[in-house]
Amino acid sequence: MLFEGGRREHRTASWLVAVAGRTEFRSRIGELLLASGGPYGGSYCITVATFGTSADADLVCSYLDRYLPQPDLVWDQTSERASRYLAAGGLWQQWTDATSNMVRDPQDYRQVVDRLCSFACECAELFARMEARRRSSRPDRWTPTASDPSVESGQ
């Protein structure tokens, strides 16, 4: 249900997954990233960047391998894994040379991605603190369960 709908819903879901650190959605985010075919791959890249594992880096590399060789897709471009893209004459330079992109330095993009990842992590920490505070302020609060007789009888 989280990823139903169109591009806006997918982007929103992607951000929610990033903020909540829900790595169980990694494969779905990866599918959406590789099939992005529009200017929306960035939110998926940010999501997998917040996870920060080798598998996530591989997803971003697959995305770059697919889209950087296509300079006509100017709207969809954004460690050691990066060196093959950033080398002189590499895909990044080929892409920036073939487009009207004003930003040539990949470090400028990296700073933006770092800020977005930090924002997602700060949101996740804030939500976790709020949830912990909420739970600790109501330790005796009754929460119905499916096996509770009052739930079954509709009381």
Side-chain angles (χ1 to χ4, degrees):
M1 184 165 137
L2 185 62
F3 285 100
E4 291 177 1
R7 66 175 172 82
R8 288 184 181 156
E9 292 84 1
H10 289 176
R11 289 176 70 192
T12 301
S14 179
W15 279 101
L16 292 171
V17 166
V19 168
R22 302 286 302 270
T23 58
E24 66 268 25
F25 290 104
R26 176 182 287 115
S27 67
R28 181 65 177 132
I29 296 290
E31 291 168 8
L32 291 168
L33 172 63
L34 295 176
S36 61
Y40 314 109
S43 62
Y44 306 130
C45 284
I46 299 301
T47 299
V48 296
T50 63
F51 298 158
T53 69
S54 181
D56 303 307
D58 290 342
L59 284 171
V60 173
C61 287
S62 295
Y63 168 78
L64 293 173
D65 286 337
R66 180 175 292 178
Y67 289 106
L68 280 180
Q70 301 179 53
D72 57 313
L73 302 179
V74 297
W75 36 256
D76 208 15
Q77 316 298 328
T78 53
S79 88
E80 278 301 308
R81 285 186 168 94
S83 64
R84 66 182 173 156
Y85 304 106
L86 302 178
L91 288 175
W92 177 262
Q93 184 178 355
Q94 292 172 33
W95 179 75
T96 57
D97 289 349
T99 67
S100 60
N101 182 20
M102 300 300 289
V103 179
R104 301 287 179 187
D105 184 358
Q107 291 304 315
D108 292 343
Y109 283 108
R110 181 178 181 176
Q111 290 175 357
V112 170
V113 169
D114 286 346
R115 285 188 209 131
L116 290 169
C117 288
S118 292
F119 173 72
C121 290
E122 288 172 21
C123 288
E125 290 171 9
L126 175 64
F127 291 136
R129 285 195 307 268
M130 289 171 52
E131 180 64 14
R133 218 176 285 141
R134 183 187 67 79
R135 288 181 186 201
S136 67
S137 68
R138 299 181 183 184
D140 59 336
R141 185 173 178 186
W142 171 77
T143 305
T145 63
S147 61
D148 190 322
S150 63
V151 172
E152 292 172 9
S153 66
Q155 296 176 359

